[in-house]
Amino acid sequence: MLGKNNVAFVNLGSNQNVHVGDYFRVFRYQGKLDETAPQTKGYQYKIYGFGSAPAKYEPSDLPRQVIGEGIVLNQSPNTSTMMITSSTTPIYAGDYVELE
C-alpha cells in the first residue's frame, strides 16, 4: 500500500519515452472483482440507503478512477522510479500508470 511521498517502481522507462521530471498519472479501472478487496457482489445495489441507480452498471460502463500522480526520479530502459506526489486512495501493486 503506497501513498503520498512513497517511492514506487514502474515498468515504463526510456524505451517508452519516459524522462526524469515527467509526471505519471496513477489510475484503477472500476468493477474488476479480481483487483479489489473481497466484497459481496453488487453490494452497492443491495444496501439500503446507499443510493439508487436507474440500472445496474457493468464495469465497462464506468470510467477509470484516477487515484494519484507522481514524478519520475530515475529511469532505465524499461523501468523508472516514481515518487508519489498526491493520492486520493491507497495505491497498490497492479494499479496502472500513464504519462501525463
Side-chain angles (χ1 to χ4, degrees):
M1 187 166 62
L2 301 170
K4 186 177 178 180
N5 297 327
N6 287 135
V7 175
F9 296 98
V10 179
N11 63 347
L12 299 173
S14 57
N15 288 347
Q16 291 81 27
N17 206 24
V18 174
H19 304 288
V20 172
D22 287 347
Y23 271 87
F24 281 129
R25 180 179 299 119
V26 183
F27 63 95
R28 182 179 299 144
Y29 286 105
Q30 298 291 315
K32 291 188 175 188
L33 292 177
D34 59 341
E35 294 182 358
T36 59
Q39 299 171 351
T40 304
K41 186 174 182 176
Y43 75 98
Q44 298 95 332
Y45 300 98
K46 296 178 182 176
I47 297 175
Y48 176 76
F50 183 81
S52 62
K56 183 175 178 184
Y57 293 103
E58 295 300 321
S60 60
D61 298 330
L62 300 172
R64 64 186 189 179
Q65 175 187 11
V66 176
I67 57 176
E69 65 178 24
I71 189 167
V72 176
L73 301 175
N74 192 4
Q75 105 268 353
S76 65
N78 289 309
T79 60
S80 57
T81 307
M82 166 185 76
M83 183 176 80
I84 299 168
T85 56
S86 69
S87 64
T88 56
T89 62
I91 297 170
Y92 297 106
D95 286 333
Y96 299 92
V97 297
E98 68 181 3
L99 278 170
E100 283 192 352

